[in-house]
Amino acid sequence: MTAALKVVRAGLFDTLQDLGRVGFMALGMPTAGAMDRVALRLANALLGNPAGTAGLEIGVMGPDLLVEADSVRVALVGPISPALIEGPDTPPKALETDRTHLLKRGQVLRVGMVEGSSTAYLAVAGGFALPSFMGSLSTYARAGVGGFEGRKLAAGDALPLSLEQAPPGDDRKLGAPFDYGSGPVRIVWGPQEEYFTAAGRNIFVGSDYRVSREADRMGIRFEGPTIAHATSVEKGGADIISDGIGPGAIQVPGAGLPIVLLADRQTVGGYPKIATVASVDLPRLGRLLPGQTVRFQPVTVEEAEKLRRDQESRIARAIADFKVARPPGGIDLARLYEENLIDGVVYERSPG
């Protein structure tokens, strides 16, 4: 019998994603990959997987997964409230997130809602036993390639596991939730900032913009003050000769409202790009929901590079600070042994 996680109830938009399909944009193939690469990397690190192992990206609401294996160890990272269902007549038992859990055959993991965010991640020890496409397991649903049959998960799907049972060892958890930062989203001007008026650029970085309902893995269309394009003969209008689009590129079409392009972005485009989101803040964009507001703040290329290096150092510290996690409802013997359980000793002389 092949070890698997079976979808007994589908979530809203759950797809397999790794760190992306790199090297094929010249052929018109988008990179896809995790919207929040930090969370996926932490989930894999908790399990001892390579950083690029594909995991399940949970979009807004996750699935119910039946364990069809002797055992499997999963890691859940992100703002979710998972639960474990032991049997048909057993009420769900709440589980912690930002840690691993050892699951047994017949149990059902209810991944639950993603609270205040659009994405969370589930990884499994050893990864999923699925064929790669162009060197990646990332799902690009628009073309129907990668992941599980090139699409989001549906009820009845069985995700094959690479391991028949969980490897030995303790469960682990993050020492503290990872800090993604707050405040304005940092951007680097360009590559076509000269296609916009000085007033338009000032409006862009001086205004609040709200995430519209047109937000998905391809990009986020923002609502707010319009940004004026330049009108000179050389640099004017809302059209350019199509060129390559990197992660976080911010296009501004003729309507004057910014669109931030994300994991499933097209490879080329013909609208001018006023700026590009610094890579340090891309995971934050992957967590935004419609109605939330952001402000953009320009930084230099050198500042953006330093912010990214600092983030890598924080990821390394978070991994080094993993803790042993006690089983749900159980006793953490390691912590217990560390405590001084004897407050004092009283000797009593026996009579006589």
Side-chain angles (χ1 to χ4, degrees):
M1 181 182 295
T2 302
L5 293 178
K6 184 177 181 180
V7 181
V8 295
R9 183 187 60 80
L12 286 183
F13 197 89
D14 307 317
T15 58
L16 284 172
Q17 301 293 343
D18 53 28
L19 297 182
R21 188 167 285 107
V22 178
F24 299 97
M25 287 185 65
L27 302 177
M29 177 55 65
T31 58
M35 294 273 279
D36 181 352
R37 295 162 66 96
V38 172
L40 178 60
R41 288 174 59 188
L42 290 174
N44 278 317
L46 283 166
L47 295 164
N49 290 342
T53 304
L56 190 59
E57 183 174 273
I58 311 300
V60 182
M61 183 182 74
D64 289 358
L65 300 171
L66 172 66
V67 179
E68 293 185 335
D70 291 340
S71 62
V72 60
R73 181 166 277 112
V74 304
L76 294 158
V77 173
I80 50 178
S81 301
L84 183 66
I85 302 173
E86 301 276 3
D89 300 321
T90 306
K93 180 193 300 181
L95 298 177
E96 293 178 328
T97 187
D98 289 345
R99 59 160 288 172
T100 67
H101 293 280
L102 181 65
L103 308 179
K104 302 293 183 65
R105 186 181 296 277
Q107 293 179 329
V108 173
L109 173 65
R110 174 162 291 168
V111 176
M113 297 292 296
V114 184
E115 304 294 339
S117 172
S118 60
T119 56
Y121 291 84
L122 180 151
V124 299
F128 294 100
L130 288 165
S132 64
F133 176 78
M134 289 185 167
S136 170
L137 273 181
S138 286
T139 307
Y140 181 51
R142 282 180 169 82
V145 299
F148 187 88
E149 298 182 0
R151 58 173 173 78
K152 67 179 182 179
L153 299 186
D157 290 344
L159 296 170
L161 303 173
S162 295
L163 301 180
E164 293 290 331
Q165 60 183 19
D170 295 318
D171 281 315
R172 299 197 293 178
K173 64 179 181 179
L174 271 66
F178 188 80
D179 182 11
Y180 286 79
S182 58
V185 172
R186 278 73 61 95
I187 55 110
V188 175
W189 288 116
Q192 287 105 23
E193 75 270 24
E194 71 273 14
Y195 274 69
F196 303 87
T197 66
R201 294 194 296 270
N202 288 335
I203 285 173
F204 173 59
V205 296
S207 305
D208 290 333
Y209 285 90
R210 184 175 62 255
V211 178
S212 76
R213 292 190 177 277
E214 295 181 73
D216 57 19
R217 284 182 46 84
M218 186 175 183
I220 301 173
R221 189 181 296 270
F222 286 91
E223 298 171 340
T226 57
I227 302 164
H229 294 82
T231 57
S232 68
V233 175
E234 297 85 4
K235 307 290 184 184
D239 296 298
I240 62 172
I241 296 173
S242 293
D243 65 0
I245 297 178
I250 306 175
Q251 288 185 328
V252 184
L257 293 174
I259 302 171
V260 179
L261 297 167
L262 300 174
D264 284 358
R265 67 194 181 279
Q266 68 272 32
T267 57
V268 297
Y271 295 127
K273 296 171 283 295
I274 192 171
T276 303
V277 175
S279 59
V280 68
D281 282 339
L282 284 175
R284 290 174 57 192
L285 294 181
R287 290 176 158 231
L288 291 178
L289 288 170
Q292 294 180 323
T293 60
V294 301
R295 185 172 283 239
F296 298 98
Q297 175 187 326
V299 297
T300 66
V301 171
E302 293 75 19
E303 289 170 331
E305 290 173 343
K306 182 180 185 304
L307 289 166
R308 186 68 181 85
R309 288 193 296 268
D310 291 344
Q311 185 184 61
E312 279 298 312
S313 296
R314 292 190 293 110
I315 292 171
R317 287 197 297 272
I319 293 172
D321 196 37
F322 286 164
K323 309 295 184 186
V324 174
R326 67 182 179 87
I331 298 175
D332 188 342
L333 292 177
R335 289 289 304 277
L336 185 65
Y337 294 152
E338 290 173 359
E339 299 293 330
N340 181 10
L341 300 180
I342 302 177
D343 188 47
V345 178
V346 176
Y347 293 95
E348 180 180 353
R349 184 186 299 274
S350 60

